[in-house]
Amino acid sequence: MENVTHIAEKPETAKRSVTVLGSTGSVGTNTLDLLAGSPHKYSVTALTAGKNVALLSEQARLFRPAFVALADESGYAALKEALAGTGIACGAGESAVLEAASIESDVCVAAISGFAGLKPSLAALENSGALALANKESLVCAGVFMTGAAEKNGCPILPVDSEHNAIFQVLEQKRPEDVRRLVLTASGGPFLNRARNELQHITPAEAVAHPNWSMGAKISVDSATMMNKALEVIEAHYLFGFSSEKIDVLMHPQSVVHSMVEYIDGSILAQMGASDMRTPIAYAFAWPERMETTGAFLDLSQALQLDFLPPDTMRFPALSMVRDVLKAGGAMPTVFNSANEVAVDSFLRGGIGFLDIESVIASVMEKADALSPPSGVEDIILIDKEIRACARDVIAQLCQRQL
Ligand SMILES: NC(=O)c1ccc[n+]([C@@H]2O[C@H](COP(=O)([O-])OP(=O)(O)OC[C@H]3O[C@@H](n4cnc5c(N)ncnc54)[C@H](OP(=O)(O)O)[C@@H]3O)[C@@H](O)[C@H]2O)c1
């Protein structure tokens, strides 16, 4: 670890080495798109994927990392064959992904989806100059341990999530007492104007069709249920250290203002831009500098309408549930996240209806009320396992009742 250079101390002319965890996903491919545009400034150290051998090996041939890893062990032979003759080392399984995250790099982009990103994100915090974090689930479940590891290793967590990245850009970090509140904006997803009684029969295809952003399936469903915004409230709490009362959510259907900080003198500083993930990703991995992107730019000369509305927590209860989650603390953020992951997976497979997602989470939270607070990451991993089993039981009972 002593050899890892703090990212802010790296000379401007030196090439930065970048590891991308989850390189085949939406954030991962956007990241590589940016790197492809600046080959003189960045080199790729390691890439990882879940199952997608074809795309991972194509990326590896193009970016020439030292190591690539696939989480799915059954794809190992195909990956090895696809990389034959390239000299690129490869591995498969959870341990191989951890190995990739543990190779020293200047910046590690954590873009694995879901709880599976926790251990690799933690490993990256020990071995990278900076962690560009998209994987919000790791911070939601293990916020105290992630921020503790960041501090211990002198590895800053740079938010990639567009809302947190916006706040990171406009927050005067040295004087938190001057902040009145953080305002996370929410597009409202595809069902912003749907009546609640129309929501139960929403199909997975409708739920993943986000109006403004192109993202992976899980986060798209989270946006439609507003669970994404609820998880982001927890993420903001751990990233910036403000209490739940100081973190508000405002609906903003145009997704132009990515989030804001309101100060005690009435000033509101907002970050604006096109709905293009390449902007926050670029800010995170070029920090403390900026890099030119090939992404979309906002044309302010076009008549822009900016609407802001309070969220409707009756229609989207995740936003009120998250207040209870933060108040409870302890194991509850993990319970909230893990129950959601299982429920979303079931919804995407056609197992439960759209509104069942929130009822599964609520039932699991009720059952998990007495869980002891985790004393370390291993406890969180056990809680996650237990909660997944509990959520599967709740779903089985729900399906039984609906027969
Ligand atoms: N997409 C966005 O615009 C956006 C914005 C803000 C924050 N985020 C956050 O960024 C993270 C990634 O989102 P995404 O939309 O890019 O997701 P995605 O498109 O589904 O990509 C997920 C990536 O993780 C890999 N993966 C899946 N399961 C894995 C496992 N068990 N072990 C290791 N790797 C695994 C996938 O590999 P395969 O391709 O092989 O399945 C893929 O590379 C999420 O935490 C999300 O909340 C995303």
Side-chain angles (χ1 to χ4, degrees), residues 22-27 49-52 71 111-114 116 134-137 161 214-216 219 277:
S23 63
T24 52
S26 164
V27 171
K51 292 188 166 109
N52 193 339
I112 291 173
S113 164
N135 176 248
K136 68 190 81 185
E137 295 89 345
D161 225 344
S214 160
M215 308 183 285
I219 185 177
M277 279 306 291

Side-chain angles (χ1 to χ4, degrees), residues 21-30 48-53 55 70-72 97 110-114 116-117 120 133-138 160-163 213-220 222 228 231-232 235 277:
L21 308 175
S23 63
T24 52
S26 164
V27 171
T29 49
N30 273 313
T48 79
K51 292 188 166 109
N52 193 339
V53 174
L55 184 54
L70 192 73
D72 175 17
V97 175
I112 291 173
S113 164
L133 185 74
N135 176 248
K136 68 190 81 185
E137 295 89 345
S138 53
V160 165
D161 225 344
S162 59
E163 296 78 0
W213 299 93
S214 160
M215 308 183 285
K218 190 258 174 189
I219 185 177
S220 298
D222 287 349
N228 183 48
L231 297 175
E232 285 178 6
E235 186 185 6
M277 279 306 291

Side-chain angles (χ1 to χ4, degrees), residues 5-25:
T5 312
H6 189 286
I7 199 71
E9 291 159 10
K10 188 103 179 166
E12 218 170 294
T13 47
K15 230 182 186 185
R16 283 186 183 181
S17 57
V18 182
T19 284
V20 187
L21 308 175
S23 63
T24 52

Side-chain angles (χ1 to χ4, degrees), residues 132-133 158-171 173 184 235 239-240 258-259 271 277-285 287 290:
L133 185 74
L158 308 170
V160 165
D161 225 344
S162 59
E163 296 78 0
H164 306 74
N165 189 274
I167 288 172
F168 186 65
Q169 294 195 38
V170 296
L171 182 64
Q173 310 251 12
L184 297 172
E235 186 185 6
L239 274 174
F240 305 116
H258 297 308
S259 277
Q271 185 264 352
M277 279 306 291
R278 283 171 292 187
T279 300
I281 297 169
Y283 187 79
F285 72 61
W287 182 86
R290 286 190 187 261

Side-chain angles (χ1 to χ4, degrees), residues 160-355:
V160 165
D161 225 344
S162 59
E163 296 78 0
H164 306 74
N165 189 274
I167 288 172
F168 186 65
Q169 294 195 38
V170 296
L171 182 64
E172 289 159 20
Q173 310 251 12
K174 287 194 188 106
R175 293 188 54 86
E177 65 275 23
D178 290 350
V179 173
R180 185 157 179 264
R181 58 179 186 145
L182 308 182
V183 182
L184 297 172
T185 54
S187 68
F191 311 131
L192 176 64
N193 299 314
R194 292 275 186 106
R196 187 162 166 93
N197 61 9
E198 289 174 34
L199 295 177
Q200 178 64 356
H201 302 295
I202 293 295
T203 64
E206 289 174 285
V208 299
H210 197 283
N212 305 346
W213 299 93
S214 160
M215 308 183 285
K218 190 258 174 189
I219 185 177
S220 298
V221 176
D222 287 349
S223 296
T225 57
M226 296 293 284
M227 260 308 276
N228 183 48
K229 210 50 55 180
L231 297 175
E232 285 178 6
V233 170
I234 305 176
E235 186 185 6
H237 166 71
Y238 286 120
L239 274 174
F240 305 116
F242 292 99
S243 64
S244 169
E245 296 74 39
K246 284 197 159 194
I247 307 170
D248 276 354
V249 172
L250 267 186
M251 307 311 291
H252 170 48
Q254 293 87 4
S255 297
V256 166
V257 171
H258 297 308
S259 277
M260 314 174 234
V261 179
E262 183 176 60
Y263 289 92
I264 50 174
D265 61 1
S267 300
I268 296 176
L269 300 194
Q271 185 264 352
M272 301 198 292
S275 309
D276 187 328
M277 279 306 291
R278 283 171 292 187
T279 300
I281 297 169
Y283 187 79
F285 72 61
W287 182 86
E289 298 155 28
R290 286 190 187 261
M291 72 185 283
E292 212 172 321
T293 74
T294 49
F297 281 73
L298 195 62
D299 184 356
L300 288 170
S301 69
Q302 300 298 311
L304 261 189
Q305 189 176 333
L306 301 180
D307 298 313
F308 299 97
L309 318 150
D312 181 347
T313 51
M314 297 301 282
R315 238 168 358 116
F316 297 104
L319 286 178
S320 48
M321 287 161 92
V322 70
R323 305 297 170 182
D324 297 335
V325 170
L326 275 174
K327 203 163 156 203
M332 205 46 91
T334 309
V335 172
F336 190 54
N337 179 72
S338 304
N340 178 55
E341 287 193 22
V342 175
V344 170
D345 185 60
S346 173
F347 167 71
L348 284 170
R349 292 166 188 270
I352 59 174
F354 184 75
L355 289 179

